[in-house]
Amino acid sequence: MKPDKQDFFKQVHQVAKLIPKGRVTSYGAIANYLGAKSSARVVGWAMNAAHGDLSIPAHRVVNRLGMLSGKHHFEGINLMQQLLESEGVAIKDNQVQDFKAVFWNPSEEL
DNA sequence: CCCGTGACTTCCG
DNA sequence: ACGGAAGCCACGG
């Protein structure tokens, strides 16, 4: 296999789509799963490109603290929280409650 | 080709 | 424990 960097974006998008409903994951976890553990920011960049794809649940991706760091990039500040809460994820102060319980690790569960 | 930016993460003081 | 700074990779200009 010779994955191009373009595929990296595609990989991130694919993983994001695979996130189970009611679960969340972190940029670092995705980066680690893709073998780019040092490139968590690139994952965020990939999500930025994914912003145009409505089939990608970017709201299920948060930073490693469970904070909705990317909510500013959504249409509305509350949208991300609303989406997560509607899926059964409790949010408080831009943070996922019981984060480790809803955390989805692609390296172990995928 | 060089510089700046970004939805992160980790280390040092 | 808290805050600031650096490191990291990819993309656009």
Side-chain angles (χ1 to χ4, degrees):
Chain A
M1 286 277 281
K2 189 170 72 67
D4 295 329
K5 26 191 173 165
Q6 266 187 335
D7 286 335
F8 185 80
F9 270 57
K10 196 172 181 185
Q11 297 251 51
V12 175
H13 298 164
Q14 191 63 41
V15 174
K17 291 179 186 176
L18 293 173
I19 301 174
K21 182 170 176 261
R23 296 293 184 91
V24 294
T25 192
S26 68
Y27 303 94
I30 296 175
N32 183 36
Y33 170 70
L34 298 179
K37 53 185 187 229
S38 310
S39 308
R41 310 188 79 159
V42 182
V43 176
W45 197 262
M47 298 312 294
N48 186 22
H51 184 261
D53 194 328
L54 300 177
S55 62
I56 300 177
H59 59 273
R60 292 184 188 152
V61 184
V62 296
N63 66 1
R64 81 175 196 83
L65 300 177
M67 182 172 8
L68 309 187
S69 50
K71 71 176 204 169
H72 273 264
H73 292 261
F74 282 79
E75 296 186 16
I77 302 287
N78 337 356
L79 182 60
M80 189 173 187
Q81 177 172 337
Q82 288 288 273
L83 288 169
L84 287 170
E85 288 184 327
S86 67
E87 292 182 354
V89 181
I91 308 295
K92 178 160 190 176
D93 293 331
N94 303 329
Q95 247 180 251
V96 177
Q97 298 304 289
D98 207 358
F99 177 58
K100 68 181 169 99
V102 296
F103 178 68
W104 178 75
N105 189 339
S107 298
E108 295 181 0
E109 302 197 44
L110 192 58

